[in-house]
């Protein structure tokens, strides 16, 4: 049996998300593009391109992680993230920025589902899977705090300019890459002795069968993805809208930081409601996101910030519980693939809603 220190493994995953989130250009990419002269509609198109690529690559990347290894996928995710930032430094056209967004999407694909699968199966191997909700909640809190810290420096990013800001992102990505390279590989249960061809067959057919036969999983995936897409888009476009409605530029970073911190609060709060039904958690999140959406139309910066906080809280509140419920349902051999289907569905909603939100919030 594979032996390793589960605490060390999880700490490395925490560190990857820490430095992966602490990217000041990535945290304020909408504001940076707006400062470079791109309209909110064009920014909405960039976001759609990101999710078109993500939709195409999401499930195949999850299958590759299940077949070839989750550690390899995490390493490639960091490399693609750094490459995307590098392209951003040396480009200023709509076409090449679109390429950078596509590479960034591939980075997201390689890590999404893979991180959760590696953590869950590592905990299964160590006999600590009952603590998975605690891990995913802590991981989300870390991500929200450090990504919010990155957005807090939106003013710094704008002052430095996009080239220096993306160079800092490359440095952060390099540190995350070092931690990814030091992870311990954990093979999917039953795949240890399989040939690559057999692994692919098992992953593809097993995943298709699970989705086809499990209506509860299908509904949960669609619901979670829709809530997440709306909440994230509200946060994205607030970066561009808040200065337009009178918020002083110096306050943009603190506003976005506060919004992100409410996501961390949502991640922690849901752990105190472990006995609540999923439907109750979902209802709270739906109400929160609806109120957040309506707040954008008030044109009042502080009400809009409050709405952003509510959206961020609601998104994390439902996402943590959805992640736990899904991981408890799905088999080890298809874990990364099926979690990627969750992200794939999210991308479908983002593709549809990004230009719509860009038009609505223009």
């Amino acid at each position: 049996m594979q032996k390793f220190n589960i605490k060390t493994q999880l700490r490395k995953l925490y560190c990857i998300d820490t430095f992966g989130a602490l990217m000041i250009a990535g945290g304020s990419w909408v504001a940076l593009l707006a400062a470079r002269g791109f309209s909110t509609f064009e920014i909405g198109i960039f976001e759609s391109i990101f999710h078109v690529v993500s939709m195409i690559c999401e499930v195949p990347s999850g299958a590759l992680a299940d077949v070839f290894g989750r550690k390899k996928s995490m390493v490639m995710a960091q490399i693609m993230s750094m490459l995307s930032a590098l392209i951003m430094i040396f480009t200023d056209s709509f076409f090449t920025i679109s390429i950078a967004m596509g590479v960034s999407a591939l980075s997201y694909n390689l890590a999404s589902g893979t991180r959760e699968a590696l953590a869950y199966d590592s905990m299964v191997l160590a006999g600590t899977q009952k603590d998975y909700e605690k891990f995913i909640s802590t991981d989300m809190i870390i991500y929200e705090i450090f990504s919010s810290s990155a957005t807090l420096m939106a003013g710094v990013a704008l002052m430095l300019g996009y080239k220096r800001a993306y160079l800092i992102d490359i440095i952060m990505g390099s540190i995350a890459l070092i931690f990814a390279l030091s992870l311990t590989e954990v093979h999917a249960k039953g795949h240890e002795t399989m040939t690559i061809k057999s692994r692919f067959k098992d992953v593809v057919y097993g995943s298709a069968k699970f989705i086809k036969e499990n209506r509860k999983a299908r509904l949960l995936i669609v619901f979670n993805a829709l809530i997440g897409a709306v909440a994230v888009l509200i946060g994205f476009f607030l970066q561009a809208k808040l200065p337009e409605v009178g918020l002083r530029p110096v306050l943009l970073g603190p506003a976005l930081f506060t919004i992100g911190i409410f996501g961390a609060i949502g991640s922690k709060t849901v752990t105190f409601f472990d006995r609540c039904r999923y439907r109750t958690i979902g209802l709270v999140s739906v109400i929160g996101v609806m109120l957040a959406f309506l707040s954008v139309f008030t044109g009042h910066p502080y009400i809009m910030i409050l709405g952003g906080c509510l959206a961020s809280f609601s998104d994390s509140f439902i996402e943590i519980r959805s992640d736990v419920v899904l991981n408890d349902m799905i088999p080890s051999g298809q874990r990364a693939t099926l979690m990627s289907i969750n992200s794939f569905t999210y991308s479908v909603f983002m593709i549809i809603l990004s230009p719509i939100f860009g038009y609505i919030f223009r």
Side-chain angles (χ1 to χ4, degrees):
M1 177 183 289
Q2 243 177 313
K3 292 184 178 180
F4 65 97
N5 188 320
I6 184 62
K7 291 183 179 179
T8 299
Q9 179 88 326
L10 298 184
R11 286 192 193 109
K12 289 175 181 177
L13 289 171
Y14 290 147
C15 287
I16 290 170
D17 273 354
T18 296
F19 291 100
L22 195 57
M23 294 185 172
I24 64 171
S28 54
W29 70 272
V30 173
L32 286 172
L33 285 176
R36 292 166 74 175
F38 292 97
S39 68
T40 55
F41 181 72
E42 288 174 315
I43 292 170
I45 295 297
F46 287 138
E47 182 67 11
S48 289
I49 290 170
F50 177 98
H51 288 285
V52 167
V53 175
S54 182
M55 183 181 70
I56 293 170
C57 298
E58 185 63 67
V59 177
S61 67
L64 287 172
D66 279 331
V67 173
F68 291 106
R70 282 76 182 267
K71 174 183 174 178
K72 293 184 181 69
S73 187
M74 292 295 291
V75 168
M76 287 303 301
Q78 301 310 315
I79 293 173
M80 291 297 104
S81 176
M82 294 161 62
L83 178 59
S84 174
L86 191 64
I87 296 172
M88 279 290 199
I89 290 175
F90 294 104
T91 187
D92 202 31
S93 71
F94 184 92
F95 177 73
T96 47
I97 287 177
S98 297
I99 292 175
M101 293 298 290
V103 175
S104 178
L106 184 56
S107 170
Y108 169 82
N109 293 151
L110 288 164
S112 72
T114 303
R115 179 194 305 104
E116 293 83 356
L118 180 59
Y120 193 89
D121 281 339
S122 294
M123 297 177 83
V124 169
L125 194 60
T128 60
Q129 65 267 32
K130 66 181 185 301
D131 296 325
Y132 178 73
E133 183 171 41
K134 180 181 178 182
F135 160 77
I136 200 66
S137 174
T138 302
D139 188 57
M140 179 68 76
I141 289 170
I142 288 172
Y143 178 80
E144 293 287 357
I145 289 174
F146 283 96
S147 62
S148 297
S149 298
T151 58
L152 180 61
M153 293 185 282
V156 175
L158 290 169
M159 181 184 67
L160 289 173
Y162 69 92
K163 291 185 177 181
R164 291 189 182 92
Y166 277 109
L167 180 59
I168 292 173
D169 282 10
I170 291 173
I171 294 171
M172 294 296 104
S174 299
I175 298 172
L177 176 61
I178 292 171
F179 282 106
L181 287 166
S182 69
L183 288 167
T184 300
E185 183 65 88
V186 177
H187 293 287
K189 186 177 179 181
H191 282 184
E192 299 90 343
T193 59
M194 283 186 180
T195 64
I196 291 177
K197 182 178 179 180
S198 297
R199 289 180 188 178
F200 264 118
K201 184 177 179 180
D202 179 71
V203 167
V204 173
Y205 285 100
S207 299
K209 181 180 179 182
F210 176 86
I211 290 296
K212 180 180 179 181
E213 296 178 354
N214 200 315
R215 180 175 179 271
K216 180 180 178 181
R218 294 197 304 270
L219 292 175
L220 189 151
I221 287 170
V222 169
F223 177 74
N224 181 58
L226 179 58
I227 292 293
V230 174
V232 167
L233 284 169
I234 290 170
F236 277 168
F237 285 104
L238 281 178
Q239 290 186 30
K241 292 298 294 182
L242 285 172
E244 291 180 8
V245 295
L247 186 74
R248 287 188 295 163
V250 71
L251 296 178
L252 179 60
L256 297 177
F257 176 78
T258 303
I259 289 171
I261 290 301
F262 268 82
I265 293 172
S267 300
K268 185 62 178 178
T269 302
V270 73
T271 63
F272 297 111
F273 294 90
D274 55 317
R275 294 187 179 182
C276 282
R277 299 175 63 192
Y278 183 82
R279 288 184 179 181
T280 302
I281 300 293
L283 179 61
V284 171
S285 298
V286 168
I287 293 172
V289 170
M290 288 177 63
L291 291 173
F293 181 79
L294 293 174
S295 74
V296 180
F297 297 97
T298 65
H300 191 289
Y302 295 105
I303 294 178
M304 291 166 68
I305 291 170
L306 182 61
C309 291
L310 193 55
S312 183
F313 177 93
S314 302
D315 183 22
S316 297
F317 195 67
I318 189 63
E319 184 177 351
I320 296 298
R321 183 55 54 83
S322 296
D323 196 294
V324 173
V325 173
L326 275 175
N327 265 295
D328 286 342
M329 294 168 63
I330 60 184
S332 174
Q334 294 90 45
R335 193 175 308 283
T337 308
L338 289 167
M339 292 304 292
S340 290
I341 290 174
N342 187 34
S343 297
F344 169 87
T345 308
Y346 167 76
S347 292
V348 171
F349 282 118
M350 288 294 281
I351 290 167
I352 297 170
L353 295 178
S354 290
I356 294 174
F357 273 52
Y359 178 78
I360 293 173
F361 295 154
R362 71 190 190 283

